[in-house]
C-alpha cells in the first residue's frame, strides 16, 4: 500500500523520524504540521514533503492522519480545536494518534470520529527515540478492527510490532502497563548497579554475565553502560515519564488498581528533577543513589 495521501501532526523527537519513514519506506505523499513551523519546513526540505499552517489544512484530502503530540490538551487542540484536523477529515479516513494520553480522551475522540464518518485509533508507541529513528517501534492500538486492518500496513513503515489490543482506549491502557513495568525495572537496575559498585565488583562484567539469565531486560542491555558512566542524555526524559505515570495513577484510581512501586519510583523521579534532571533520561534514577 503506497502512494497514499498522508498527514502527520507533531514533529518532535518521535514524530519527525516516524513521518520520515512514511515517505522514505512507505512511499507516501506526506503533508506535515508542526507547532514550530521551522521544523516542518526542515522536514519538507529533507523529505520532499509539503507543509500546512494548521492541522485542519494538513488533514484535507488525507486518507490517513497521524499525530504525535505532548498530552491530552495538545491532542484535543490538534483534533477538535478551532483549526483541528477533525473539521476537515473526509469520510472513510482514519486518524491515528501516537500520543501517550489518557484512555478517556481516546474514547471521546473515537466517539466524535465515528459521528463524523471517519475512524480513530489510539496507538501509543514504545521503543523511544532510537526505535523511531530505526523504524522499530512497538505500536499498541485501540479502536475498530476495520480501521486497524486498513492502517496496519501503513504503520509498518516505522514499526516492528503492531497489534490491536481491544476497543477504543485499549492502546492507551496497554501503554500504561508498559510504563508501570519500566518504572520498576529501571529502579531495580539502578539499585543493582549501585550495589555492585559499592561491593567492589566490576559492574559491567556482572551485567555481561547475568544478562544471560533471568535478570535480563531491555533496560539492562541498553542502559547499564550509560548508567555506570553517569550519562543521561539518551532516550525518554524524566518529565515525560512522570507525565505518563500521572496518567497511570489517574486510571488506577478509576479501576481500583494498586501501584505502590510505581508511586515510589515517581517520588524518586521527583528527586531527580530537583537535581536538575528534568530532561535527563529515565535511567538517571541511579544518580540519586550516588554520594
Amino acid at each position: 500500500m503506497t502512494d497514499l495521501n498522508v498527514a502527520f501532526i507533531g514533529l518532535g523527537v518521535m514524530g519527525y523520524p516516524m513521518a520520515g519513514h512514511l515517505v522514505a519506506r512507505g512511499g507516501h505523499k506526506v503533508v506535515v504540521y508542526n507547532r514550530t513551523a521551522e521544523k516542518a519546513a526542515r522536514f519538507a526540505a529533507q523529505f520532499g514533503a509539503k507543509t500546512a499552517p494548521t492541522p485542519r489544512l494538513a488533514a484535507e484530502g488525507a486518507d490517513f492522519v497521524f499525530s504525535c503530540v505532548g498530552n491530552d490538551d495538545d491532542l484535543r487542540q490538534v483534533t477538535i480545536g478551532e483549526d483541528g484536523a477533525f473539521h476537515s477529515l473526509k469520510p472513510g479516513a482514519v486518524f491515528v494518534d501516537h500520543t501517550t494520553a489518557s484512555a478517556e480522551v481516546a474514547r471521546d475522540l473515537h466517539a466524535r470520529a465515528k459521528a463524523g464518518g471517519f475512524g480513530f485509533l489510539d496507538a501509543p508507541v514504545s521503543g523511544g527515540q532510537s526505535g523511531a529513528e530505526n523504524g522499530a517501534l512497538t505500536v499498541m492500538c485501540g479502536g475498530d478492527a476495520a480501521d486497524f486492518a486498513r492502517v496496519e500496513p501503513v504503520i509498518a513503515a516505522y514499526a516492528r510490532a503492531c497489534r490491536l489490543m481491544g476497543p477504543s482506549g485499549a492502546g492507551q491502557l496497554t501503554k500504561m502497563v508498559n510504563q508501570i513495568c519500566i518504572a520498576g525495572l529501571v529502579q531495580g537496575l539502578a539499585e543493582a548497579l549501585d550495589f555492585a559498585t559499592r561491593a567492589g565488583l566490576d559492574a559491567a562484567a556482572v551485567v555481561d554475565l547475568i544478562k544471560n539469565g533471568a535478570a535480563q531486560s531491555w533496560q539492562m542491555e541498553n542502559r547499564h553502560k550509560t548508567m555506570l558512566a553517569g550519562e543521561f542524555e539518551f532516550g525518554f526524559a524524566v518529565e515525560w515519564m512522570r507525565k505518563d505515570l500521572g496518567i497511570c495513577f489517574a486510571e488506577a484510581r478509576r479501576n481500583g488498581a494498586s501501584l505502590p512501586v510505581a508511586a515510589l519510583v515517581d517520588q524518586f523521579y521527583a528527586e531527580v528533577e530537583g537535581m536538575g534532571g528534568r530532561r535527563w533520561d529515565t535511567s538517571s534514577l541511579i544518580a540519586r543513589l550516588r554520594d
Side-chain angles (χ1 to χ4, degrees):
M1 186 185 296
T2 60
D3 201 29
L4 295 167
N5 292 316
V6 174
F8 204 103
I9 299 168
L11 299 175
V13 295
M14 300 293 287
Y16 195 105
M18 292 163 73
H21 288 309
L22 288 172
V23 178
R25 288 184 176 180
H28 305 304
K29 294 174 286 189
V30 178
V31 178
V32 295
Y33 165 80
N34 193 67
R35 189 162 46 189
T36 305
E38 291 81 3
K39 187 175 286 187
R42 175 157 52 89
F43 180 92
Q46 180 178 351
F47 290 101
K50 295 181 179 180
T51 66
T54 65
R56 182 175 192 156
L57 291 174
E60 281 188 351
D63 300 298
F64 299 101
V65 179
F66 299 86
S67 64
C68 190
V69 294
N71 53 42
D72 284 24
D73 290 340
D74 294 332
L75 179 57
R76 289 187 183 278
Q77 184 64 35
V78 301
T79 53
I80 59 175
E82 183 178 354
D83 289 314
F86 276 27
H87 299 304
S88 63
L89 271 169
K90 65 183 182 181
V94 181
F95 191 103
V96 182
D97 177 48
H98 292 306
T99 308
T100 296
S102 69
E104 183 179 18
V105 73
R107 295 181 186 118
D108 176 51
L109 293 178
H110 175 266
R112 291 172 182 265
K114 298 306 288 184
F118 51 90
F120 179 89
L121 294 175
D122 51 292
V125 302
S126 180
Q129 184 176 349
S130 62
E133 292 172 349
N134 296 323
L137 293 170
T138 296
V139 186
M140 315 156 217
C141 298
D144 299 344
D147 293 332
F148 175 78
R150 289 180 57 211
V151 79
E152 183 182 14
V154 185
I155 292 175
Y158 48 79
R160 68 177 177 183
C162 181
R163 182 169 177 176
L164 182 65
M165 301 307 298
S168 180
Q172 296 296 352
L173 292 170
T174 302
K175 180 62 182 286
M176 294 176 209
V177 175
N178 186 79
Q179 301 306 76
I180 292 165
C181 289
I182 289 174
L185 285 169
V186 178
Q187 177 61 22
L189 180 60
E191 292 179 11
L193 293 176
D194 182 66
F195 178 93
T197 301
R198 292 176 185 273
L201 295 169
D202 181 337
V206 171
V207 170
D208 192 53
L209 179 63
I210 69 173
K211 71 180 183 181
N212 298 301
Q216 189 275 338
S217 70
W218 186 97
Q219 298 294 337
M220 179 179 287
E221 291 271 8
N222 291 275
R223 291 288 177 263
H224 78 276
K225 291 181 181 178
T226 53
M227 289 174 82
L228 290 171
E231 299 171 353
F232 309 125
E233 303 304 320
F234 308 90
F236 198 64
V238 166
E239 65 173 339
W240 299 341
M241 182 54 131
R242 294 205 69 206
K243 182 267 287 186
D244 290 1
L245 288 175
I247 293 171
C248 296
F249 300 145
E251 187 65 34
R253 287 191 291 270
R254 283 189 285 268
N255 67 23
S258 178
L259 302 177
V261 173
L264 184 60
V265 174
D266 182 58
Q267 293 177 34
F268 295 159
Y269 276 128
E271 292 181 28
V272 172
E273 287 186 323
M275 298 167 62
R278 185 171 62 91
R279 297 308 300 270
W280 292 351
D281 74 65
T282 52
S283 69
S284 57
L285 281 172
I286 196 171
R288 56 175 294 280
L289 301 175
R290 293 176 170 159
D291 297 329

